[in-house]
Amino acid sequence: MALVNEHFLKLQNSYLFSDIAKKVNSFKVTHPKDKIIRMGIGDVTQPLAPAVIEAMHKAVDELAHKESFHGYGPEQGYPFLIDAIIKNDYESLGVFIEPSEVFISDGAKSDCGNIGDMLRHDNSIGVTDPVYPVYIDSNVMAGRTGICIDGKWTDVVYIPCTAENNFVPQLPSRKVDIIYLCYPNNPTGTTLTKEELKKWVDYALENDAIIMYDSAYEAYIRDKNVPHSIYEIKGAKKVAIEFRSFSKTAGFTGVRCGYTIVPKELNAYTLSGDPVSLNKLWLRRQCTKFNGTSYITQRGAEAIYTPEGKAQVRATIDYYMKNASIMKEGLEQCGLKVYGGTNAPYLWVKTPDGLTSWKFFEKLLYEVYIVGTPGVGFGPSGEGYLRLTAFGDRDETIEAIGRIKQWMK
Ligand code: PLP
């Protein structure tokens, strides 16, 4: 008899986006003429950069001829992209990364979700709360979270990030072995300074813990004192794995490409206390379960690092960040308390008059036809907040903020 991994049965159905879709669809049926503006989705709306398109077309043409055809590539990624990443994303920060520490993938979601394959099921995990749901759900599947009671997993250490602590997570009082940090943060749009992040690196060094550092939104950072990489902090290569994505940096949500840095200095331990290099294990894992990101995609990603590519990608990021500033300014003029939006494409809005996340969501939908995402969907500490994204079209963004201003007068 084939037995199922019963941890999968503990997964809570992700009602968040389907509940939102249901409410929006029933609103559309009853209000067919009213134009809905969607500010809830985390997907991008602007097309790929021309430099990327050109590189991908060229790569397709190469595959059309026997002499330049590419079949299976290296599982870890092509050296041309790995070199461009090291030079542009790390050398520019004064961080030394070796080619064998870079693993090209089909995006940060797969890597964040799969990385736990290398770690025992009985490690304790800590997550900032609210949080990108993949960190929790992938650990539910691995049996690390206990059971879910009233929206909280019994074996997960939740580290609240709310206005009360200025969205700066405090070190946990209970020891954790694996810590998930995401900065700039989805959903709150907030960041940590180098000093704040250093506390976590020091904690991990002292406790032989590992930090899973998701910096999928690093391209949106504007402030000088906000680190782009955890490896800007001394000692981090001994304790941190970093996940990066081209999805929000360069509109690759549909193309699919990202990468993960697993430093050679990083060890996990056997029960008898012997160190094991996670870099070697991750290579073994990837070579077994992953056959590489397509050549065409990697050529497209490489083009992001050309002078034209950089300028084009920057222009799109600036476009989204202009949306974010229009949203933030407009919402603040309405008297709303708004967090994030200055180093990230997410705005985290405190609901007015003590409304719950869902109540505020419904009022925005039914009264001004705007769709956000209820903060409570990202974890217990998200209650009383709503997430808005800046990935929309400019004219729609302006229209949405105009509607809210009119409504809140
Ligand atoms: N990490 C965070 C924090 C995200 O918000 C997202 C996407 O929304 C991802 C990772 C997934 O990125 P990718 O498209 O590279 O899988």
Side-chain angles (χ1 to χ4, degrees):
M1 183 168 48
L3 299 177
V4 71
N5 174 353
E6 292 193 23
H7 297 307
F8 275 60
L9 309 182
K10 296 183 207 155
L11 286 166
Q12 307 293 293
N13 282 330
S14 177
Y15 291 120
L16 179 64
F17 288 99
S18 65
D19 278 357
I20 292 173
K22 268 187 224 147
K23 283 184 195 282
V24 172
N25 288 340
S26 60
F27 177 83
K28 276 199 314 212
V29 171
T30 47
H31 300 74
K33 292 210 178 99
D34 293 323
K35 180 182 155 201
I36 290 175
I37 300 181
R38 292 171 191 272
M39 303 183 102
I41 46 152
D43 201 354
V44 293
T45 54
Q46 301 303 301
L48 291 171
V52 170
I53 296 291
E54 200 185 310
M56 291 176 87
H57 277 169
K58 202 166 148 249
V60 171
D61 287 341
E62 282 180 56
L63 301 189
H65 303 283
K66 199 172 175 198
E67 315 75 62
S68 50
F69 173 75
H70 286 80
Y72 289 127
E75 286 94 344
Q76 216 176 328
Y78 282 100
F80 60 78
L81 180 55
I82 293 180
D83 290 347
I85 287 168
I86 291 177
K87 190 158 169 276
N88 292 279
D89 289 350
Y90 291 100
E91 278 180 18
S92 58
L93 300 173
V95 171
F96 178 73
I97 298 286
E98 287 182 41
S100 57
E101 295 177 315
V102 183
F103 294 82
I104 310 292
S105 71
D106 63 352
K109 188 185 212 175
S110 329
D111 286 354
C112 296
N114 292 329
I115 202 83
D117 284 9
M118 296 189 292
L119 299 161
R120 269 178 67 101
H121 69 281
D122 46 3
N123 282 292
S124 56
I125 69 158
V127 294
T128 54
D129 172 34
V131 77
Y132 177 56
V134 173
Y135 312 146
I136 300 245
D137 284 355
S138 55
N139 279 291
V140 173
M141 293 173 181
R144 290 194 194 98
T145 56
I147 51 166
C148 190
I149 299 176
D150 295 334
K152 272 194 158 186
W153 294 90
T154 48
D155 293 351
V156 172
V157 175
Y158 289 86
I159 308 161
C161 293
T162 60
E164 285 66 43
N165 60 13
N166 213 14
F167 300 94
V168 178
Q170 301 302 299
L171 295 175
S173 47
R174 209 174 107 194
K175 196 169 172 306
V176 288
D177 303 310
I178 305 169
I179 304 145
Y180 287 84
L181 295 179
C182 170
Y183 289 100
N185 189 262
N186 175 16
T188 66
T190 58
T191 50
L192 293 185
T193 62
K194 286 187 182 153
E195 295 71 38
E196 287 157 354
L197 186 55
K198 183 175 181 307
K199 286 185 194 151
W200 285 93
V201 171
D202 291 346
Y203 174 90
L205 286 166
E206 276 158 30
N207 293 281
D208 291 326
I210 293 176
I211 298 175
M212 303 295 180
Y213 195 74
D214 185 346
S215 58
Y217 298 93
E218 68 76 34
Y220 290 81
I221 294 172
R222 307 254 154 142
D223 290 355
K224 288 252 167 343
N225 197 27
V226 173
H228 287 251
S229 163
I230 192 165
Y231 305 123
E232 290 179 63
I233 313 296
K234 200 162 163 259
K237 282 190 83 183
K238 289 199 174 78
V239 291
I241 292 175
E242 180 160 286
F243 306 95
R244 292 266 184 114
S245 168
F246 295 114
S247 286
K248 309 299 160 66
T249 304
F252 272 47
T253 51
V255 177
R256 308 305 306 145
C257 195
Y259 65 90
T260 291
I261 306 292
V262 187
K264 286 194 167 157
E265 292 104 299
L266 178 72
N267 290 322
Y269 296 85
T270 61
L271 269 188
S272 47
D274 297 322
V276 177
S277 158
L278 289 187
N279 177 281
K280 276 199 190 136
L281 286 197
W282 189 241
L283 178 63
R284 188 71 178 82
R285 191 263 173 216
Q286 290 298 79
C287 289
T288 304
K289 291 194 176 181
F290 183 61
N291 245 346
T293 306
S294 82
Y295 177 72
I296 302 165
T297 298
Q298 291 191 60
R299 280 294 183 199
E302 181 195 21
I304 297 165
Y305 296 108
T306 60
E308 317 78 69
K310 277 185 193 169
Q312 292 160 0
V313 162
R314 175 52 44 200
T316 304
I317 292 171
D318 287 347
Y319 176 92
Y320 293 136
M321 288 310 283
K322 179 74 188 162
N323 283 351
S325 79
I326 291 169
M327 291 161 70
K328 195 168 170 85
E329 198 183 312
L331 296 171
E332 283 174 351
Q333 281 167 6
C334 299
L336 289 166
K337 200 84 192 121
V338 184
Y339 304 93
T342 49
N343 290 297
Y346 294 117
L347 283 84
W348 192 238
V349 184
K350 181 88 195 114
T351 61
D353 309 322
L355 293 175
T356 63
S357 293
W358 275 109
K359 201 79 213 146
F360 188 47
F361 164 88
E362 283 167 1
K363 278 178 90 65
L364 274 185
L365 173 62
Y366 300 146
E367 295 174 29
V368 270
Y369 325 141
I370 290 168
V371 184
T373 310
V376 71
F378 297 98
S381 297
E383 181 55 283
Y385 294 90
L386 186 94
R387 189 191 76 172
L388 295 179
T389 75
F391 289 126
D393 173 81
R394 174 68 43 77
D395 291 342
E396 286 204 342
T397 300
I398 293 171
E399 186 182 338
I401 297 304
R403 284 190 203 170
I404 296 177
K405 278 186 175 169
Q406 202 56 33
W407 176 62
M408 292 200 63
K409 248 188 196 167

